[in-house]
Amino acid sequence: MLIPNLTLTPEDLNGAIAHHPLIVSPETTVLAAITQLHSNDLRSSAAYLSDPAASCILVAHEQQPLGFLTEHDVVRLCAQGVSLDQPIQKVMATPLLTLQEAEFKDPVAILGVLNQHQMDHLALVGDRGQITGLITRTSLHECLHFIELHRAEQANAQKLRLELSILKAILDIILAGYWNWDIPSDCAYLSPGFKHMFGYADHELPNATESWQTLIFPEDLVEVMACFDRHTQSHGNIPFYNEVRYRHKNGSTVWVVCSGQVVAWDDAGKPLQMIGCHINITRRKQAEEQLQKSDTHLKTAQRIAKLGSWEFDLATERIHWSDEVFQIFGRDPTAGMPSFEELQQLYHPDDQAYHNQTVQQGIKTGQPYDLECRAHRPDGSLIYIQARGEPIFDATGQLRQLVGTVLDITDRKAAEAKILQTTAQLKASNRELEAFAYSVSHDLRSPLRAIDGFSKALLEDYGDQFDAEGKDYFDRIRRNVQRMGHLIEDLLRLSRISRSEMQYSTLDLGALVLEQIKELRATDPDRQIEVVVACQAIVSADPTLMRVVISNLLQNAWKFTSHQATARIEFGILENQAQPDEPHIYFVSDNGAGFDMAYANMLFGVFQRLHNTTEFPGTGIGLATVQRAIHRHGGQVWAEGVVEQGATIYFTLLPINRVQTSGQESTP
């Protein structure tokens, strides 16, 4: 086979040359030459020339080639009856093709020359013309065939090296290392990737079985050796596979898959050689551990919340419950998952049709559903559950599954029943309180009016009979009667604030402030007072209660600044810019009498006063009323002050968006 673009080494060419061909003088007889050709020494030197036609006798004079004689020529001469005792020069073939040894580089070209001259032999000559070797057509073909085989082996070796390098790269990518164990000698090869997996450079860890045996966890080594025994005893039928732990150089734990196979056995069935690999699965194990933790947390959360999850496969009609659903229904998990028919039987007879219709409607429409039902546990107890379901569609839009939750709301239902009972009791108490308040108001006001009326009549009819001290006593009686009337009014107002139903609407607090200031100026037009009112104080609140708040705060500020030559009252806003959804802070401040902060906790108590009534009249209920109204809006109220430097009353209200989303009254 001709090999194109052939580049050969001297070693490759050497295989085509017979370096010690038989050379005889022209006078040597043919018989003598043939005898020498078939001598053992010569025959062995040319043994690689398997074609008999390659056997050739060269004829030369003083190393200069003259001709040649082949075995074929000898056979022809014998057939013609020619004597073999005559000199070889008389029967040799001429001319003999020759080639300078230095020019022998291309076997293919030499074959072309032989074909051109229809010759089978060519003599190589040195630089002085002496014969140095013999080349035949057969030797050239065998040389080329040998070279072709050699090149194929080299290509296969190169391919194998490439595949090994790719395999090594793959093993490195998947964090794997391989090993080779010669079992009889207990010698092992550990790949660099194997060592790197545990933090060691190639030179830091010897290629020995002791290396990996010192790194593996002792309890895992026992299992590995037991697995090896099972593998060898089954003659390789039982796989050698383990998930084990190794100690990293830095002290951390490395999880690996250790897998291998005995690839050589002796005649007695004993293992000779085993190969395998280690794959780093630490990340997978960490993920599994995290998943296990998440699953545990989920089960714990479901148990605490009494919330279970479920799945319903529409194709198979199989139901899957989480552990908590079993707990909620009181079903033994060993009884397995219930069928849909069994599930129906768990519900209260009056709720079974409702449950079935709701589920079927969800399947038909592909819409989520939410229902509340009663169910009976095996012990006979009645529970309330809230079941929610959502459809799951496949890539084609077909409904394949329902998934959802079951929530045990038995405690909630009991609490709701308790709340309803308590609410009914509160309503009854409120009605009684209203009746009592009306009775108190009527029963107290009547004698007070009588005392006030008769005192006034006495002064009018018999005033000339009383001295100044007596008249003063009657004035005190009337003033205290009037004060008692104001107290009753304030108490009734405070009671109404606590009981009235909340009606939210959008209000501008600034407008309420200006309205109240206008009324105060009308009652005391001679007062010189500076009023500052913030604009756009828009809130969502109960108008009646907020008028009470603004009225009480401004009346207090107006009252406690009455002794100031230059009075100032301000209504403002402290908005929370960092958290706009948090409550806004509003305030009413003045530069009046102020108060000692040591007594600040007394300000919002009923009948609690920090000033003398002769100096600043009042009942001590105003700020208590403000506090109760603000608390009903879910806000807070507090005060700051300095004696003779003024006071500031702060209160908070939820932003409009928070009030609209909650829509509920706060309970103080």
Side-chain angles (χ1 to χ4, degrees):
M1 179 180 291
L2 300 183
I3 303 176
N5 303 322
L6 194 61
T7 301
L8 302 177
T9 65
E11 290 77 12
D12 295 330
L13 297 173
N14 193 52
I17 303 172
H19 290 283
H20 303 288
L22 177 59
I23 303 173
V24 299
S25 64
E27 296 81 11
T28 305
T29 65
V30 175
L31 182 59
I34 292 174
T35 301
Q36 293 184 48
L37 180 63
H38 287 275
S39 65
N40 291 336
D41 292 339
L42 290 176
R43 194 64 177 175
S44 62
S45 66
Y48 73 95
L49 299 176
S50 58
D51 187 355
S55 301
C56 179
I57 301 170
L58 298 181
V59 182
H61 177 67
E62 296 181 355
Q63 289 296 318
Q64 298 300 313
L66 300 177
F68 63 94
L69 185 68
T70 68
E71 288 187 344
H72 291 292
D73 294 332
V74 173
V75 173
R76 178 177 51 79
L77 292 175
C78 291
Q80 293 175 355
V82 177
S83 174
L84 300 181
D85 291 329
Q86 60 181 315
I88 196 171
Q89 64 181 345
K90 291 183 178 183
V91 295
M92 68 181 181
T94 58
L96 176 62
L97 292 178
T98 60
L99 179 68
Q100 288 290 327
E101 187 176 19
E103 296 178 3
F104 180 38
K105 299 178 180 178
D106 187 355
V108 177
I110 301 303
L111 278 174
V113 173
L114 292 177
N115 290 335
Q116 180 181 358
H117 292 84
Q118 298 183 349
M119 301 289 286
D120 291 327
H121 304 80
L122 182 145
L124 289 180
V125 296
D127 52 1
R128 294 191 302 275
Q130 76 281 10
I131 296 175
T132 60
L134 177 66
I135 297 175
T136 70
R137 185 188 300 275
T138 302
S139 68
L140 286 172
H141 279 295
E142 290 189 352
C143 176
L144 291 174
H145 179 66
F146 173 77
I147 293 171
E148 182 181 10
L149 292 177
H150 182 61
R151 290 291 189 270
E153 291 176 355
Q154 288 182 328
N156 288 335
Q158 179 64 25
K159 181 181 179 182
L160 181 59
R161 285 193 293 271
L162 177 60
E163 291 175 348
L164 287 175
S165 65
I166 294 174
L167 176 60
K168 183 178 181 301
I170 293 174
L171 292 174
D172 289 340
I173 291 173
I174 64 174
L175 303 177
Y178 56 93
W179 45 267
N180 189 340
W181 181 23
D182 185 81
I183 299 174
S185 65
D186 200 26
C187 293
Y189 169 75
L190 308 177
S191 72
F194 180 99
K195 301 173 184 178
H196 180 70
M197 189 185 305
F198 307 117
Y200 294 91
D202 190 21
H203 67 277
E204 291 182 308
L205 205 61
N207 288 324
T209 55
E210 292 82 4
S211 296
W212 67 267
Q213 289 179 352
T214 57
L215 296 178
I216 193 172
F217 278 41
E219 56 270 32
D220 292 351
L221 176 60
V222 175
E223 176 56 31
V224 167
M225 299 311 297
C227 184
F228 172 73
D229 290 339
R230 292 191 294 269
H231 179 70
T232 56
Q233 291 169 6
S234 66
H235 206 74
N237 291 326
I238 297 178
F240 178 77
Y241 179 92
N242 302 273
E243 292 186 5
V244 293
R245 296 161 297 170
Y246 279 74
R247 187 67 66 192
H248 194 276
K249 185 179 180 180
N250 62 14
S252 63
T253 299
V254 180
W255 275 95
V256 301
V257 166
C258 174
S259 178
Q261 179 74 38
V262 174
V263 295
W265 308 80
D266 64 12
D267 295 338
K270 299 295 184 182
L272 297 176
Q273 183 183 13
M274 187 175 187
I275 61 174
C277 69
H278 278 35
I279 301 176
N280 191 333
I281 59 170
T282 304
R283 291 182 181 176
R284 193 195 81 188
K285 284 293 185 179
Q286 291 172 344
E288 289 176 354
E289 181 181 0
Q290 186 61 41
L291 183 62
Q292 180 64 36
K293 287 183 179 179
S294 298
D295 184 62
T296 302
H297 291 166
L298 176 61
K299 290 181 178 179
T300 303
Q302 288 190 353
R303 177 178 54 79
I304 294 173
K306 296 184 178 180
L307 175 69
S309 58
W310 55 266
E311 299 174 4
F312 179 48
D313 189 285
L314 299 182
T316 63
E317 294 189 351
R318 291 181 178 176
I319 295 176
H320 177 78
W321 280 358
S322 70
D323 294 344
E324 188 57 26
V325 180
F326 281 97
Q327 184 69 25
I328 291 173
F329 283 100
R331 181 181 175 91
D332 186 354
T334 60
M337 302 295 171
S339 65
F340 187 80
E341 291 73 16
E342 289 177 314
L343 175 62
Q344 278 290 103
Q345 296 303 315
L346 296 178
Y347 288 106
H348 190 281
D350 295 341
D351 295 344
Q352 291 177 7
Y354 171 55
H355 174 264
N356 184 57
Q357 291 171 2
T358 303
V359 173
Q360 297 305 324
Q361 184 68 14
I363 295 174
K364 180 179 178 181
T365 62
Q367 295 297 319
Y369 65 82
D370 188 340
L371 59 86
E372 293 183 2
C373 288
R374 293 164 294 173
H376 285 292
R377 285 180 172 147
D379 61 6
S381 60
L382 180 69
I383 61 170
Y384 288 82
I385 62 100
Q386 180 183 33
R388 292 178 175 176
E390 290 197 2
I392 301 297
F393 300 91
D394 62 16
T396 64
Q398 295 294 318
L399 180 60
R400 297 298 184 188
Q401 195 179 38
L402 290 178
V403 299
T405 59
V406 172
L407 176 63
D408 185 349
I409 58 172
T410 305
D411 293 342
R412 192 186 81 188
K413 285 294 184 179
E416 289 176 355
K418 182 66 175 177
I419 290 174
L420 290 175
Q421 181 183 7
T422 303
T423 301
Q425 293 174 348
L426 287 175
K427 288 181 178 179
S429 298
N430 283 336
R431 287 193 297 269
E432 293 176 0
L433 182 60
E434 289 176 2
F436 175 74
Y438 177 80
S439 176
V440 167
S441 173
H442 182 271
D443 293 346
L444 287 180
R445 283 177 178 176
S446 294
L448 286 176
R449 282 195 296 268
I451 294 173
D452 184 55
F454 283 114
S455 298
K456 182 178 179 182
L458 283 172
L459 286 174
E460 291 176 352
D461 296 340
Y462 303 101
D464 54 350
Q465 299 181 25
F466 297 118
D467 58 11
E469 186 177 3
K471 293 180 179 180
D472 180 60
Y473 288 158
F474 276 106
D475 287 338
R476 290 187 182 186
I477 290 172
R478 294 196 63 201
R479 283 198 303 272
N480 281 281
V481 167
Q482 292 172 0
R483 174 173 166 75
M484 187 65 180
H486 291 317
L487 285 172
I488 293 173
E489 278 296 331
D490 288 344
L491 283 173
L492 289 174
R493 188 180 297 112
L494 180 62
S495 174
R496 286 193 294 270
I497 286 175
S498 300
R499 301 193 318 272
S500 63
E501 183 178 355
M502 301 283 286
Q503 299 291 338
Y504 281 92
S505 64
T506 302
L507 300 175
D508 183 352
L509 295 184
L512 294 181
V513 171
L514 292 175
E515 178 184 320
Q516 183 64 33
I517 291 295
K518 183 178 179 181
E519 293 180 5
L520 291 171
R521 288 189 188 278
T523 59
D524 193 359
D526 296 332
R527 286 283 302 274
Q528 298 297 319
I529 188 167
E530 177 189 0
V531 178
V532 179
V533 180
C535 300
Q536 296 299 316
I538 308 300
V539 299
S540 181
D542 182 274
T544 301
L545 295 186
M546 289 313 302
R547 280 189 170 88
V548 171
V549 170
I550 297 299
S551 174
N552 277 280
L553 293 179
L554 291 178
Q555 287 177 12
N556 275 357
W558 190 273
K559 175 173 60 178
F560 289 112
T561 57
S562 60
H563 298 169
Q564 301 294 325
T566 304
R568 186 178 189 278
I569 298 175
E570 179 182 0
F571 168 75
I573 311 172
L574 300 176
E575 293 188 11
N576 192 336
Q577 300 294 340
Q579 296 178 319
D581 287 342
E582 291 300 310
H584 293 172
I585 302 174
Y586 305 89
F587 65 88
V588 173
S589 65
D590 63 66
N591 63 342
F595 63 91
D596 187 344
M597 285 295 291
Y599 305 102
N601 60 336
M602 298 174 56
L603 284 178
F604 299 99
V606 179
F607 303 136
Q608 298 291 331
R609 294 181 50 83
L610 301 183
H611 301 87
N612 193 295
T613 56
T614 58
E615 185 180 12
F616 298 105
T619 61
I621 297 180
L623 288 181
T625 304
V626 169
Q627 184 185 59
R628 190 157 303 181
I630 294 299
H631 281 178
R632 293 198 67 190
H633 285 83
Q636 299 294 324
V637 60
W638 67 96
E640 294 178 358
V642 178
V643 176
E644 298 303 332
Q645 294 186 27
T648 301
I649 308 298
Y650 298 94
F651 62 93
T652 64
L653 292 174
L654 293 174
I656 291 181
N657 61 328
R658 288 281 298 278
V659 174
Q660 291 174 342
T661 55
S662 64
Q664 296 180 353
E665 176 185 352
S666 296
T667 302

